[in-house]
C-alpha cells in the first residue's frame, strides 16, 4: 500500500506491520530517508483503501517526519 499525507503527498510505501501486543504499528518506507513508524489506529491512519492500494497517514505530533521541521 502507498501511504499519503492529508494533502495527498506521497510519504512512502507500507513495508511492514508490527504487533508487539500493545497495538499495531506500520513501517512506512520513505525514499532516501529513515522509515516512519506510526501507530495503526483511526487517528493516525484515518483512511485505508485496499482496492486502490493506498492509505492516508496523519502522524501524531510526537512523530517528526524528516524535512518538515
Amino acid at each position: 500500500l502507498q501511504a499519503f499525507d492529508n494533502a495527498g503527498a506521497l510519504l512512502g510505501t507500507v513495508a511492514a506491520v508490527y504487533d508487539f501486543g500493545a497495538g499495531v504499528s506500520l513501517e512506512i518506507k520513505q525514499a532516501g530517508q529513515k522509515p516512519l513508524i506510526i501507530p495503526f489506529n483511526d487517528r493516525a491512519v484515518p483512511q485505508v483503501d485496499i482496492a486502490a492500494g493506498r492509505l492516508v497517514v496523519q502522524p501524531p505530533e510526537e512523530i517528526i517526519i524528516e524535512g518538515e521541521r
Side-chain angles (χ1 to χ4, degrees), residues 2-26:
Q2 290 186 313
F4 296 86
D5 67 12
N6 284 330
L10 180 64
L11 292 175
T13 303
V14 176
V17 178
Y18 301 111
D19 186 355
F20 298 112
V24 178
S25 297
L26 301 177

Side-chain angles (χ1 to χ4, degrees), residues 3-5 8 15 21 24 32 40 42 47 50 52 56 58 60:
F4 296 86
D5 67 12
V24 178
F40 186 45
D42 291 340
Q47 296 177 9
I50 299 295
V56 173
Q58 183 176 338

Side-chain angles (χ1 to χ4, degrees), residues 34-58:
K34 293 180 182 180
L36 176 64
I37 307 293
I38 59 159
F40 186 45
N41 58 40
D42 291 340
R43 178 176 271 180
V45 186
Q47 296 177 9
V48 177
D49 188 341
I50 299 295
R54 62 179 283 138
L55 51 85
V56 173
V57 175
Q58 183 176 338

